[in-house]
Amino acid sequence: MPSTTRGAVDRADDTVDRLLESGRRPDTVLVLTVGEPHPWQQHEIGFGEERYWAQLTEGGDVFYADAAATRTVGREVVVLVVNSPVSTQGLTKAARAAHALAGELLLVCGDVDTVAPLFPAAGAPVPA
């Protein structure tokens, strides 16, 4: 999902909204950020780490986490948000982790020139 690095979170939010509007259940969607945590993740962590991670186990809603988190579990859909400049090695690691967690669909929101080389078999990005 093409966007600027700065606009990647907004693009991811739009993408999640479209997924839910199309009938996907919230508990089937995982959003992973490469840069700064998603605002919803920041909000939820404000209630404590234990409560935040309990939401992942409960599985009742879209879950937001850092792409480098080791506690995440797979979901049908993973949205990888490239919202910060990152080394090629760091981005490759995040993309591999997101791909491994995605059961059916992996969507990547970020700068096309940065992200496309990681997924050469994916074809052209979906227009905004």
Side-chain angles (χ1 to χ4, degrees):
M1 308 304 289
S3 73
T4 63
T5 301
R6 179 173 281 162
V9 169
D10 290 336
R11 183 72 164 142
D13 288 344
D14 292 342
T15 299
V16 169
D17 288 344
R18 288 181 184 179
L19 287 165
L20 299 177
E21 289 167 3
S22 73
R24 289 272 180 187
R25 291 186 334 270
D27 63 337
T28 65
V29 180
L30 173 64
V31 178
L32 300 174
T33 53
V34 172
E36 185 174 324
H38 188 280
W40 189 250
Q41 178 187 358
Q42 293 176 34
H43 170 78
E44 292 299 318
I45 286 179
F47 296 106
E49 288 276 335
E50 187 175 317
R51 179 69 197 127
Y52 166 73
W53 287 108
Q55 292 178 32
L56 177 63
T57 305
E58 293 164 3
D61 204 351
V62 175
F63 191 78
Y64 297 84
D66 186 296
T70 57
R71 296 171 95 175
T72 55
V73 296
R75 292 212 172 164
E76 289 176 17
V77 179
V78 173
V79 179
L80 179 62
V81 185
V82 184
N83 60 327
S84 177
V86 64
S87 70
T88 302
Q89 182 180 14
L91 187 54
T92 299
K93 184 176 179 179
R96 285 184 181 149
H99 185 263
L101 292 170
E104 293 179 17
L105 183 62
L106 171 62
L107 299 163
V108 182
C109 299
D111 177 71
V112 173
D113 293 334
T114 302
V115 172
L118 297 175
F119 302 97
V126 176

